[in-house]
Amino acid sequence: SIRRQRQMCIRDRSKALEIYKFNELTYPSTSEGLEALVLPHSGLKNPFLYPEDGYISSLPVDPWGKEYIYENPPRKSKKFDLYTLGADGMEGGSGEDTDIGNWMQ
């Protein structure tokens, strides 16, 4: 199902964020975003630990072609917020419009 697919993508990106935090001692900021998992940025504390091919190969998109939303500091979870707003791109909704986030896992 699409819901399961979104949950798996969020789980995989969450694992990459955990490895990033292990190496950098912090999660990327909202402004650094998920791009920090694809390409190294100038603010890295330990650039020598950055994987040659990045933590992920490309920025994730949801089943509707929209980028996942990443926020740190988080509003809904303890570590970071990583979510999709569903097919309608708006908060709330049901069915394909349901929001799916890492705090729901």
Side-chain angles (χ1 to χ4, degrees), residues 17-74:
L17 285 160
E18 292 297 336
I19 297 168
Y20 179 98
K21 181 182 188 251
F22 182 81
N23 289 342
E24 290 297 310
L25 310 176
T26 187
Y27 296 108
S29 66
T30 298
S31 63
E32 291 164 344
L34 294 175
E35 294 86 1
L37 300 177
V38 180
L39 295 169
H41 56 86
S42 61
L44 291 173
K45 293 177 182 78
N46 297 305
F48 56 93
L49 294 175
Y50 198 91
E52 187 176 318
D53 296 326
Y55 292 90
I56 57 176
S57 58
S58 62
L59 289 178
V61 292
D62 68 16
W64 301 279
K66 299 179 185 116
E67 289 185 11
Y68 281 84
I69 300 164
Y70 172 78
E71 297 174 341
N72 183 33

Side-chain angles (χ1 to χ4, degrees), residues 28-30 69-76 79-83:
S29 66
T30 298
I69 300 164
Y70 172 78
E71 297 174 341
N72 183 33
R75 295 180 297 134
K76 298 184 179 189
K79 299 177 179 181
F80 53 83
D81 291 347
L82 180 59
Y83 60 101

